[in-house]
């Protein structure tokens, strides 16, 4: 949602409502579903299942409900992927606009959307999805998310040291507590990932750094 800040009419209000509101709703739904599943069946019987909720429903004698739940998951997954496409395309657009990627990705279509960055995102994601196993892609995505969260927390602390925060409604409470805790927590989760994932992640980021360096050099020249 944060990547949509430039396209929001009132980002100070809309982003706060969207981010905090969605987190509260998701936490409430997750807790309700977890409590219902644990109350219906012993966790050891569905913890290792790739479809735990459907398994719980089948164990309760509700096969039709389990099939409906599976169908709902199939329908919901593309919406999640589209949401990630949206965010990633805006990140590529911002990088291209700052000279870290080719300038063609920073062009805006007649409808005011980064069509080039969106098409590039679709091609890149399609190539990766068709080449690597899903489990490795998910692990790399988790590693990238942990690095992004750590970078945001570190940037917040650096910005606080550089001077007073600019005027606005975005505030981070207790920055010298939440920042280090976020960095340490993400670091712990990253270390917990398989070593293959960590190695692929370092190679991927090193390759991206080379691409950004070449693009930035051309942009300066």
């Amino acid at each position: 949602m944060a990547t949509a800040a430039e396209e929001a009419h009132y980002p100070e209000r809309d982003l706060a409502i969207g981010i905090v509101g969605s987190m509260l709703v998701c936490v409430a739904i997750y807790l309700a579903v977890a409590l219902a599943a644990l109350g219906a069946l012993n966790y050891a019987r569905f913890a290792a299942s790739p479809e735990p909720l459907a398994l719980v429903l089948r164990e309760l004698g509700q096969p039709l409900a389990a099939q409906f739940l599976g169908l709902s998951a199939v329908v919901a997954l593309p919406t999640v992927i589209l949401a990630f496409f949206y965010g990633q395309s805006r990140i590529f657009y911002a990088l291209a606009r700052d000279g870290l990627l080719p300038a063609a990705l920073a062009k805006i279509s007649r409808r005011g959307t980064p069509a080039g960055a969106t098409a590039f995102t679709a091609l890149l994601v399609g190539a990766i999805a068709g080449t690597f196993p899903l489990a490795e892609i998910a692990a790399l995505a988790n590693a990238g998310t942990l690095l992004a969260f750590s970078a945001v927390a570190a940037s917040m602390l650096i910005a606080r040291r550089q001077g007073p925060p600019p005027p606005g409604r975005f505030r981070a409470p207790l920055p010298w507590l939440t920042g280090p805790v976020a960095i340490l927590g993400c670091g712990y989760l990253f270390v917990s990932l398989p070593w293959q994932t960590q190695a692929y992640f370092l190679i991927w980021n090193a390759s991206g750094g080379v691409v950004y360096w070449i693009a930035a050099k051309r942009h300066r020249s």
Side-chain angles (χ1 to χ4, degrees):
M1 291 185 184
T3 58
E6 293 184 272
E7 299 176 63
H9 292 291
Y10 305 102
E12 298 88 349
R13 182 199 65 183
D14 298 343
L15 289 184
I17 294 174
I19 294 175
V20 178
S22 62
M23 288 180 60
L24 293 176
V25 171
C26 289
V27 168
I29 293 175
Y30 269 79
L31 289 176
V33 172
L35 289 174
L38 291 173
L41 201 65
N42 188 289
Y43 77 94
R45 297 175 62 182
F46 62 82
S49 174
E51 45 170 10
L53 296 181
L55 176 61
V56 170
L57 290 173
R58 284 195 296 270
E59 291 289 333
L60 296 178
Q62 301 292 334
L64 292 178
Q67 293 179 3
F68 178 78
L69 180 64
L71 178 63
S72 301
V74 173
V75 173
L77 282 176
T79 64
V80 177
I81 294 174
L82 288 174
F84 280 114
F85 272 159
Y86 175 90
Q88 187 60 60
S89 63
R90 270 55 183 180
I91 293 174
F92 284 148
Y93 164 75
L95 290 171
R97 185 184 56 189
D98 294 341
L100 296 176
L101 283 176
L105 299 179
K107 293 183 179 180
I108 301 297
S109 67
R110 295 180 180 178
R111 297 184 178 182
T113 59
T118 302
F120 174 75
T121 302
L123 292 174
L124 179 62
V125 172
I128 294 175
T131 305
F132 298 97
L134 179 59
E136 294 183 6
I137 297 175
L140 284 173
N142 291 335
T145 302
L146 293 174
L147 176 64
F149 288 169
S150 300
V152 170
S155 299
M156 175 188 67
L157 298 179
I158 293 173
R160 292 296 181 113
R161 295 289 297 178
Q162 291 179 340
R169 296 181 58 184
F170 293 106
R171 292 289 185 271
L174 302 175
W176 297 105
L177 174 63
T178 57
V181 168
I183 295 173
L184 292 175
C186 291
Y188 169 76
L189 293 176
F190 181 83
V191 174
S192 302
L193 294 173
W195 69 268
Q196 297 95 331
T197 300
Q198 298 178 16
Y200 292 155
F201 175 77
L202 294 176
I203 294 173
W204 175 265
N205 278 269
S207 303
V210 172
V211 173
Y212 294 157
W213 179 78
I214 295 175
K217 186 176 181 181
R218 291 181 178 178
H219 179 72
R220 287 194 300 267
S221 60

